[in-house]
């Protein structure tokens, strides 16, 4: 029940009335959901009876109250108890009801687990978590420094296991590569996070690898790719990345059969940097005409137009386009539905944009391993919201070696003959 309100709009506990209302609403909704879940479970098994006709599954009061930390704050919950007298014939053990909404071990919602790595990346030490979250959640229950330390240790173990998993059963047809500077607690100023995101044969996106290294270092990228190959990764059909990466040299050594696609966002920025501001709007529009062309022939014609317009005054800028023409237009040899995904490294940039905005330079204590683990947990959480590429059924055809002209599938000669 809600308490009285002080003159300044706060409750006797010091929190605002609005916060109290939100938490009370969350408590009531959670209680109602738990009741509905138990009632549905019992109703489904209402016909289960013993030899004397007595039900084997029935309500049995409530469990002891416990506090659960949610995004609305800490709420107290009394979960309904179920008495299930059925016996598993295979194991001989009693069957038990387990709530999918509130498992027995649950003390905080998954959203809170997302907040903790953000705070760490922002520069807070584990001892600062309690007062920081107490202001937001209205309680510090379950968020002691010791708890946070245990969580970070577990996240490091999760990241290590992820980077050692078997890749033989996974097929990444496309991959995006980039070196992301996040200003997190890496040991050297020029270090960054090397990221690989791939598209599986079913069209879904997935984090492939994440480790620290140097963006322009071919050896750093080679270490990452060699490790992926050692664990069974197949050569992708196409890799997308910035032309300045040391990734391309490493790719040629480890997966020489993989085709290269330069990122148009990075290329555009690089070209404009070598031109005066007065010429940049027109040049940007001319480059958009290249990568938004209807098909490869029109794109090649747009490159010639770009060279004619700017070649005399800005030969260095034009050369940045013409010398990488094949790598810039590689995406035109794939399904038209995939072009929007393949011409930039946006899947990586958009994923890391939120993390980058919420981090700052910090000189605080913290290990490189812990910082990488925090980034990994944030990406792992974000990955659940990634959508598949357009026309996902075409990804398997790309892996099978099907040919596409002007973005459309070319039927095999034998199919025409039949």
């Amino acid at each position: 029940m809600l308490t009285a309100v002080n003159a300044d709009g706060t409750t006797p506990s010091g929190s605002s009335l609005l916060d109290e209302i939100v938490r009370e609403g969350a408590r009531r909704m959670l209680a109602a959901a738990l009741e509905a879940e138990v009632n549905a479970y019992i109703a489904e098994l209402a016909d289960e009876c013993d030899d004397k006709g007595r039900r084997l599954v029935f309500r049995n009061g409530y469990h002891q109250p416990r506090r659960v930390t949610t995004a609305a704050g800490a709420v107290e919950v009394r979960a309904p108890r179920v008495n299930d007298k059925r016996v598993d014939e295979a194991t001989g053990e009693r069957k038990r009801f387990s709530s999918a909404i509130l498992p027995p071990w649950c003390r905080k919602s998954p959203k809170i687990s997302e907040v903790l790595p953000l705070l760490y990346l922002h520069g807070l030490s584990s001892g600062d978590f309690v007062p920081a979250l107490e202001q937001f959640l209205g309680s510090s229950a379950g968020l002691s420094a010791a708890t946070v330390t245990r969580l970070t240790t577990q996240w490091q173990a999760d990241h290590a296991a992820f980077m050692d998993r078997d890749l033989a059963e996974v097929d990444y047809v496309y991959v995006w590569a980039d070196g992301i500077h996040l200003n997190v607690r890496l040991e050297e100023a020029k270090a960054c996070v090397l990221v690989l995101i791939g598209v599986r044969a079913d069209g879904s996106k997935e984090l492939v690898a994440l480790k620290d290294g140097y963006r322009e270092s071919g050896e750093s990228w080679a270490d990452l790719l060699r490790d992926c190959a050692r664990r069974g990764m197949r050569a992708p059909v196409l890799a997308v990345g910035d032309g300045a990466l040391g990734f391309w040299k490493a790719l040629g050594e480890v997966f020489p059969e993989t085709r290269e696609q330069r990122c148009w966002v990075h290329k555009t920025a690089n070209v404009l940097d070598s031109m005066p501001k007065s010429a940049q709007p027109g040049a940007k529009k001319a480059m958009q005409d290249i990568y938004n062309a209807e098909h490869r022939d029109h794109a090649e014609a747009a490159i010639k137009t770009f060279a004619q317009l700017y070649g005399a005054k800005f030969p260095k800028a034009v050369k940045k386009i013409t010398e990488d023409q094949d790598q810039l237009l590689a995406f035109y040899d794939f399904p038209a539905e995939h072009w929007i995904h393949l011409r930039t490294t946006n899947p990586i940039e958009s994923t890391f944009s939120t993390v980058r905005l919420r981090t700052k330079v910090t000189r605080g204590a913290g290990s490189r391993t812990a910082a990488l683990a925090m980034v990994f947990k944030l990406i792992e959480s974000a990955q659940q919201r990634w959508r598949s590429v357009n026309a996902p059924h075409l990804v398997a055809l790309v892996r099978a070696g099907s040919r596409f002209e002007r973005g459309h599938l070319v039927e095999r000669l034998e199919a025409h003959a039949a």
Side-chain angles (χ1 to χ4, degrees):
M1 180 174 293
L2 296 177
T3 58
V5 185
N6 298 325
D8 61 356
T10 63
T11 63
S13 64
S15 61
S16 72
L17 177 61
L18 179 60
D19 289 339
E20 291 288 346
I21 292 174
V22 170
R23 279 194 283 272
E24 177 64 15
R27 186 194 65 77
R28 293 181 181 181
M29 291 178 65
L30 180 55
L34 292 173
E35 290 284 350
E37 183 185 35
V38 166
N39 291 338
Y41 181 81
I42 293 175
E44 184 180 352
L45 301 171
D47 296 333
E48 297 276 350
C49 300
D50 60 14
D51 296 339
K52 296 182 180 181
R54 291 176 297 194
R55 284 189 176 187
L56 293 175
V57 184
F58 51 90
R59 285 285 298 269
N60 186 23
Y62 292 87
H63 290 283
Q64 290 294 319
R66 57 173 155 148
R67 293 180 71 81
V68 179
T69 304
T70 72
V75 297
E76 187 172 278
V77 180
R78 291 189 69 198
R81 195 202 314 263
V82 176
N83 194 341
D84 194 336
K85 293 186 175 182
R86 296 176 301 153
V87 177
D88 191 317
E89 296 179 358
T91 64
E93 298 179 355
R94 284 272 298 272
K95 294 186 177 181
R96 293 179 179 275
F97 167 75
S98 180
S99 173
I101 299 173
L102 188 68
W105 46 263
C106 183
R107 292 294 183 275
K108 59 181 175 295
S109 74
K111 285 295 180 184
I112 302 303
S113 295
E114 292 183 29
V115 171
L116 297 181
L118 272 176
L119 291 178
Y120 185 94
L121 289 176
H122 202 68
L124 292 183
S125 64
S126 57
D128 296 326
F129 278 49
V130 176
L133 285 176
E134 193 170 9
Q135 294 297 317
F136 174 63
L137 302 173
S139 170
S140 60
L143 293 172
S144 65
T147 299
V148 174
T149 300
R150 285 196 298 271
L151 281 172
T152 57
T153 300
Q154 179 59 51
W155 291 334
Q156 291 175 44
D158 292 345
H159 179 231
F162 173 81
M163 290 300 293
D164 198 38
R165 75 196 190 286
D166 184 13
L167 297 178
E169 300 300 322
V170 187
D171 185 15
Y172 299 112
V173 180
Y174 303 131
V175 296
W176 295 277
D178 207 349
I180 304 295
H181 294 277
L182 292 175
N183 291 326
V184 295
R185 306 173 182 203
L186 300 179
E187 293 172 349
E188 298 185 42
K190 294 183 179 180
C192 66
V193 180
L194 306 183
V195 185
L196 277 184
I197 291 178
V199 176
R200 300 175 63 133
D202 63 359
S204 61
K205 299 173 188 172
E206 185 174 274
L207 179 66
V208 180
L210 182 148
K211 65 172 292 187
D212 61 325
Y214 296 93
R215 176 185 174 88
E216 295 83 7
S217 169
E219 191 55 39
S220 292
W221 282 106
D223 285 344
L224 186 148
L225 293 179
R226 282 194 290 262
D227 181 64
C228 290
R230 175 187 61 80
R231 291 184 280 128
M233 179 178 170
R234 293 181 62 184
V237 177
L238 181 72
V240 187
D242 176 16
L245 292 179
F247 171 76
W248 301 112
K249 178 182 178 182
L251 184 71
E253 296 175 359
V254 182
F255 297 125
E257 59 269 48
T258 299
R259 294 191 60 186
E260 302 177 8
Q261 169 64 47
R262 298 291 189 267
C263 170
W264 270 100
V265 171
H266 286 93
K267 178 61 72 173
T268 299
N270 190 250
V271 170
L272 295 181
D273 282 346
S274 60
M275 304 177 75
K277 289 187 177 181
S278 59
Q280 289 181 7
K284 184 176 182 179
K285 178 62 172 62
M287 284 185 283
Q288 290 173 342
D289 291 341
I290 299 173
Y291 60 78
N292 286 327
E294 184 179 357
H295 50 74
R296 189 186 187 104
D297 292 343
H298 286 181
E300 292 175 346
I303 289 178
K304 291 180 180 179
T305 300
F306 182 82
Q308 291 171 356
L309 291 173
Y310 299 101
K313 292 184 176 180
F314 315 111
K316 291 183 178 179
V318 171
K319 186 178 180 181
K320 293 176 186 292
I321 296 290
T322 57
E323 68 180 3
D324 286 339
Q325 177 169 321
D326 291 341
Q327 290 81 8
L328 286 168
L329 304 184
F331 72 92
Y332 281 112
D333 295 333
F334 294 86
E337 293 86 344
H338 297 172
W339 290 355
I340 192 172
H341 305 292
L342 301 180
R343 58 194 179 208
T344 72
T345 55
N346 186 62
I348 292 180
E349 292 292 339
S350 60
T351 297
F352 277 84
S353 60
T354 301
V355 181
R356 185 184 284 111
L357 287 173
R358 296 185 182 184
T359 58
K360 65 180 180 180
V361 177
T362 174
R363 303 299 181 189
S367 70
R368 171 187 61 84
T369 305
L372 286 173
M374 300 305 104
V375 176
F376 167 69
K377 295 308 291 187
L378 289 171
I379 302 308
E380 185 181 56
S381 174
Q383 183 172 272
Q384 301 173 12
R385 299 184 289 273
W386 292 350
R387 68 178 186 88
S388 299
V389 297
N390 298 336
H393 63 284
L394 296 177
V395 179
L397 294 179
V398 172
R399 169 57 79 187
S402 298
R403 192 159 60 91
F404 293 83
E405 287 186 1
R406 298 193 173 190
H408 301 291
L409 177 65
V410 176
E411 300 292 340
R412 296 180 179 178
L413 295 177
E414 54 266 29
H416 286 297

